[in-house]
Amino acid sequence: MTPPDLPLEGLPAPQEENSPAVSLRLQVLKNRSDFLRAARGKRVAKAGFVLQMIARPEGEAPGIRIGYTCSKKVGNAVARNRAKRRLREAARLILLQGGQPGHDYVLIGRRETTATQAFDDLQSDLAHALGILHGASK
C-alpha cells in the first residue's frame, strides 16, 4: 500500500532554522609543517596538556584548525590513543565556543595526567588556557 500523493502547489518550501554560514566542525591539522608553525606561536601549559596557538596569515581558510599529539612518553599506543580521544572530545566541546576563526591550535598530551584527569577539569583547563591565549584572563 502506498500513501496518497499530496498536491505540491501552494505549499511553502521547508525552511531550515539552523543553517550555519560556516561549518561547525573543527578542521584537523595533518601536515608536519602546520604543527611546526604552531610550535612557534603562543603556548600555555596546564596539568593535563599543553596548548599551542598561532594565527594563520590572511587569505588562508577562515575556520578553526586543531591538531593533537602525544609522544611515546605518554605511554603505549593504547594510552596515547585514549589521551588523544579525551583531548579531541574536550576540544569539540570547548574550542567551538572559545576558539577564534583563523587560528591553529595544537593540544599536546602529558604523561599520566591527560588520560586520568577528571574530564570536567580537562574542559575547564582548556577554557582557561584559551582565555589566557586570547588575552581574556591572565
Side-chain angles (χ1 to χ4, degrees), residues 22-134:
V22 294
S23 174
L24 293 179
R25 284 188 61 174
L26 297 171
Q27 298 172 356
V28 179
L29 296 177
K30 295 184 180 180
N31 296 329
R32 184 172 189 266
S33 60
D34 292 331
F35 282 88
L36 293 175
R37 183 170 46 170
R40 291 191 308 264
K42 297 178 183 178
R43 74 181 63 222
V44 173
K46 289 293 185 179
F49 58 87
V50 175
L51 177 63
Q52 299 174 336
M53 177 200 76
I54 193 162
R56 287 194 307 276
E58 293 293 326
E60 288 195 24
I64 298 172
R65 298 192 315 177
I66 183 145
Y68 311 93
T69 184
C70 290
S71 71
K72 288 189 177 182
K73 291 179 183 179
V74 173
N76 62 8
V78 174
R80 290 193 308 270
N81 288 337
R82 178 174 181 185
K84 285 192 281 187
R85 277 196 311 270
R86 290 171 57 90
L87 291 174
R88 274 194 298 270
E89 183 62 15
R92 185 185 69 82
L93 295 172
I94 302 297
L95 205 58
L96 288 175
Q97 293 92 3
Q100 293 183 358
H103 287 75
D104 288 346
Y105 301 91
V106 174
L107 281 166
I108 303 170
R110 290 196 148 181
R111 182 184 340 200
E112 298 174 5
T113 57
T114 303
T116 59
Q117 185 180 17
F119 191 68
D120 292 335
D121 294 341
L122 197 66
Q123 288 179 322
S124 63
D125 282 352
L126 181 55
H128 186 254
L130 283 171
I132 292 171
L133 288 175
H134 292 297

